[in-house]
Amino acid sequence: MPVHHAKYHPSPPMPIRNRLWPDRTIEQAPRWASVDLRDGNQALRAPMSVAQKQQLWALLLDIGVKEVEVGFPSASQPDYDFARWLIEERRIPEDVTIQVLVQARADLIERTFAALDGVHRAIVHVYNSTSPVQREWVFGADRAQVKAIAVQGAELVRAEAAKYPGTDWTFQYSPESFSQTEPDYAVEVCNAVLDVWQPTPANPCILNLPATVESASPNVFADQVEWFCRHLARRESVCVSLHTHNDRGGAAAAAELGLLAGADRIEGTLLGNGERTGNCDLITLAMNLYSQGVDPRLDLSDPERIIATVEACTGIACHPRHPWVGELVYTAFSGSHQDAINKSLHQQRATHNRDLPWQVAYLPIDPQDLGRSYEAVIRVNSQSGKGGIAFVLERDYGLQLPRWIQQELAPVVQRVSEEQGGIIDSTRIRQLFEAQFIHEQGPNRLGGYRLSRNGHDRLEATLVSDGGEQRISGEGDGAIAAFADAWSRTFGQVIDVRDYREHALGAGTHAEAAAYVQLEIDGQSITGVAIDRDTVNASLKAVISALNRAADAPSMDALRPYSELV
């Protein structure tokens, strides 16, 4: 590919000193304005039907968006019809304001107000392009002529609104391509519009600053916004709004820094739909604030419904790695990640204090806040490690595997995953676990026991094998030590108990117990597991499982094919 980068020039730096935005923090959510039904819709291969718009409108209301740009009624009959449906069918709640877009032309402005006849409150959004390339190459106009278009549009909007005194009107102006417009000229044009509208703190207007095409890094956009806010007349009577696009992948970042720079309002779409690479994703920005302890004032607790609705209305699939809400965002496959998540969740739960800050490795927020269960947090494949396997078995079956069990089970699961490909579910992992460690039925099995205590624990047990029954007895400090003594006395084989763990599986008098034992037999370490309602039974069966594994060498091969293990 030929290299032609020299034909592109960096964005000029802003003439701003002592900028304030880098030292600020966002302490409250902005005013949110959805443009899904206008900007998002006009970017689709197949624009939404009225029914699809109605479905998306209902979703926006349910998640708490209070300002919605519903279309371009002067340019599209479906947009006009949708606006009339909202008004005539009384579908607009009292606390929600619809917004419509219109160019600065008399005939279009007249039709726009006709589309809004009878609405209780609305924002009329008028715009014209102000950047040098638009002025000079598209319109063949100079600065004065382009400013005159903006002023004329403001006058037409004001005059037409006066014909509908029953509606509470808010006027909005956008200098299209603001981020590519000379800063002083953008302020000049906007001040001229303000001179027409004469906003007050009690009756403000909206000035919307679009990064129509994202052409610089987010910090440059923040400088532009701060410079604009510093030099704008009547700042206290203006709501400064931002409309960022994602051409460089920084729409959400630019909007977030723009809030630091003094903006009050954000226009965007759910999941970032929009022209070219899309608009600012309202969900991403809202969740960015949420993760910093700021109430976003949007209900995003059901991302599955949001994704399904947006996909159905736009025909655009949500990427599984989409920030905050993608299917795999809170899923770890890497062994080290799984281990860190598992340990962190244990520590988080152990505090029993909801006021403590969330601190879990690799999970910036609690997935349950977005309606996600912990079942999806860790999934096991060939890249997974012992921590992930242990997490899945504890989550689904209550099995709290000691580290030495985890270390032996991990290569078994990994080999099976490599043979099969893809994710191994928890049912299969438990099958592998049981096939590897629970061998209490042969060659020896426990027929029964009697445990008595008189200074030391004395155990009398019956072992059953293909050769018949064998009674053994021994003493020790506890049932396991007594069994080890009985085994050594009977068979002449010394077994040393290196580690033992047990825990209940559930609660109540009928809960089962899981027992894990690690033995050393003839210098070899061998583990065994058993599950039983009686804790002593479980502990003795775990030892027998280990002994049976030692006697049956092939069963100890951790790398046997899955088909031989289950």
Side-chain angles (χ1 to χ4, degrees):
M1 173 180 173
V3 177
H4 298 306
H5 65 276
K7 67 182 179 182
Y8 304 107
H9 291 231
S11 299
M14 282 296 301
I16 185 170
R17 297 292 180 268
N18 301 316
R19 55 180 58 82
L20 300 177
W21 66 261
D23 295 323
R24 292 174 176 161
T25 57
I26 300 174
E27 298 179 350
Q28 64 180 15
R31 285 169 57 177
W32 302 109
S34 161
V35 294
D36 292 85
L37 298 171
R38 197 277 304 170
D39 197 343
N41 186 47
Q42 74 183 36
L44 299 176
R45 289 189 179 96
M48 284 180 256
S49 65
V50 171
Q52 288 172 318
K53 283 194 169 189
Q54 292 169 352
Q55 184 181 7
L56 192 50
W57 166 261
L59 173 67
L60 292 167
L61 296 186
D62 286 348
I63 67 176
V65 179
K66 301 302 182 185
E67 298 178 22
V68 181
E69 191 166 80
V70 297
F72 203 145
S74 65
S76 164
Q77 189 61 44
D79 283 9
Y80 188 97
D81 294 342
F82 182 64
R84 295 312 308 158
W85 176 81
L86 289 172
I87 296 165
E88 293 170 4
E89 297 295 325
R90 301 183 182 276
R91 300 287 180 163
I92 308 171
E94 280 296 321
D95 62 344
V96 173
T97 304
I98 64 169
Q99 174 177 309
V100 293
L101 184 69
V102 63
Q103 290 173 310
R105 285 173 41 190
D107 58 331
L108 301 182
I109 290 172
E110 182 178 352
R111 181 164 172 78
T112 296
F113 277 89
L116 297 175
D117 186 16
V119 71
H120 66 280
R121 183 173 58 251
I123 299 168
V124 178
H125 180 190
V126 64
Y127 73 97
N128 69 303
S129 298
T130 58
S131 66
V133 69
Q134 292 273 16
R135 293 195 313 259
E136 299 164 11
W137 288 33
V138 178
F139 301 113
D142 59 20
R143 279 191 174 203
Q145 291 170 317
V146 168
K147 183 172 74 170
I149 295 172
V151 170
Q152 181 186 40
E155 290 172 342
L156 290 169
V157 165
R158 183 188 61 183
E160 200 64 29
K163 300 177 183 178
Y164 300 87
T167 298
D168 180 8
W169 298 107
T170 295
F171 302 149
Q172 174 173 324
Y173 172 71
S174 286
E176 188 187 2
S177 301
F178 160 80
S179 59
Q180 295 172 307
T181 299
E182 306 92 328
D184 63 321
Y185 182 62
V187 170
E188 179 184 337
V189 172
C190 288
N191 279 338
V193 169
L194 297 182
D195 288 341
V196 174
W197 286 342
Q198 294 290 309
T200 65
N203 187 28
C205 69
I206 301 170
L207 292 178
N208 186 56
L209 309 180
T212 307
V213 176
E214 185 180 34
S215 56
S217 54
N219 64 298
V220 173
F221 184 70
D223 281 349
Q224 292 172 325
V225 173
E226 183 168 333
W227 197 95
F228 180 89
C229 291
R230 286 187 186 184
H231 293 84
L232 182 69
R234 299 183 175 89
R235 176 64 183 91
E236 71 285 353
S237 301
V238 173
C239 170
V240 174
S241 177
L242 305 179
H243 183 115
T244 59
H245 276 258
N246 205 42
D247 298 271
R248 291 168 48 97
E256 194 164 354
L257 297 190
L259 291 175
L260 294 173
D264 311 297
R265 180 178 184 263
I266 298 295
E267 291 189 348
T269 58
L270 302 179
L271 304 180
N273 176 39
E275 293 175 301
R276 301 179 309 282
T277 56
N279 294 294
C280 172
D281 177 11
L282 298 183
I283 294 175
T284 295
L285 184 51
M287 289 305 303
N288 288 355
L289 303 186
Y290 182 82
S291 70
Q292 301 301 303
V294 176
D295 181 359
R297 299 203 301 252
L298 294 176
D299 182 0
L300 304 177
S301 60
D302 189 0
E304 303 308 326
R305 181 199 170 197
I306 294 172
I307 292 169
T309 302
V310 172
E311 288 182 339
C313 293
T314 65
I316 300 173
C318 177
H319 195 282
R321 299 290 183 188
H322 191 97
W324 297 114
V325 296
E327 178 190 0
L328 298 178
V329 168
Y330 304 103
T331 300
F333 294 105
S334 162
S336 61
H337 288 204
Q338 292 174 340
D339 186 57
I341 290 171
N342 191 15
K343 290 175 180 176
S344 297
L345 285 174
H346 273 290
Q347 290 294 325
Q348 191 78 27
R349 291 165 177 162
T351 63
H352 300 293
N353 187 344
R354 292 180 177 271
D355 295 328
L356 288 178
W358 175 260
Q359 296 184 89
V360 174
Y362 302 108
L363 295 180
I365 66 164
D366 186 344
Q368 290 186 326
D369 293 351
L370 287 175
R372 302 287 175 84
S373 70
Y374 290 127
E375 293 179 4
V377 169
I378 292 178
R379 301 183 191 181
V380 176
N381 64 14
S382 61
Q383 300 299 307
S384 304
K386 59 185 181 298
I389 295 166
F391 177 91
V392 168
L393 288 177
E394 181 174 0
R395 180 194 67 199
D396 293 348
Y397 301 107
L399 293 165
Q400 301 170 16
L401 305 189
R403 184 175 178 81
W404 32 275
I405 293 279
Q406 297 176 29
Q407 290 173 327
E408 187 173 342
L409 179 61
V412 176
V413 176
Q414 184 179 32
R415 172 58 62 89
V416 172
S417 177
E418 291 171 350
E419 290 176 355
Q420 294 188 331
I423 296 171
I424 295 184
D425 61 26
S426 62
T427 301
R428 196 163 293 175
I429 294 172
R430 174 154 184 171
Q431 290 174 342
L432 292 171
F433 164 74
E434 292 181 351
Q436 186 73 12
F437 298 110
I438 300 180
H439 289 247
E440 61 187 57
Q441 295 302 314
N444 294 294
R445 66 180 184 273
L446 183 65
Y449 73 90
R450 185 174 68 180
L451 184 65
S452 58
R453 291 180 174 84
N454 185 13
H456 287 286
D457 292 296
R458 179 172 178 78
L459 177 75
E460 296 178 357
T462 300
L463 296 179
V464 181
S465 67
D466 292 341
E469 294 186 354
Q470 175 77 48
R471 296 183 181 277
I472 63 174
S473 62
E475 295 182 348
D477 186 11
I480 294 178
F483 184 93
D485 179 58
W487 183 272
S488 298
R489 290 185 185 187
T490 305
F491 302 107
Q493 183 181 46
V494 177
I495 59 176
D496 178 34
V497 180
R498 298 179 60 181
D499 207 337
Y500 174 78
R501 310 285 175 84
E502 69 176 42
H503 65 82
L505 293 173
T509 56
H510 297 293
E512 291 184 312
Y516 315 87
V517 66
Q518 185 180 43
L519 305 180
E520 184 173 328
I521 305 173
D522 299 329
Q524 182 183 18
S525 177
I526 183 70
T527 56
V529 177
I531 297 173
D532 198 281
R533 287 188 176 180
D534 180 82
T535 57
V536 176
N537 251 344
S539 65
L540 297 179
K541 287 180 178 180
V543 175
I544 292 172
S545 287
L547 291 168
N548 287 339
R549 293 186 68 211
D552 184 15
S555 72
M556 296 169 56
D557 183 359
L559 301 184
R560 284 183 301 148
Y562 171 74
S563 59
E564 295 182 19
L565 283 169
V566 297

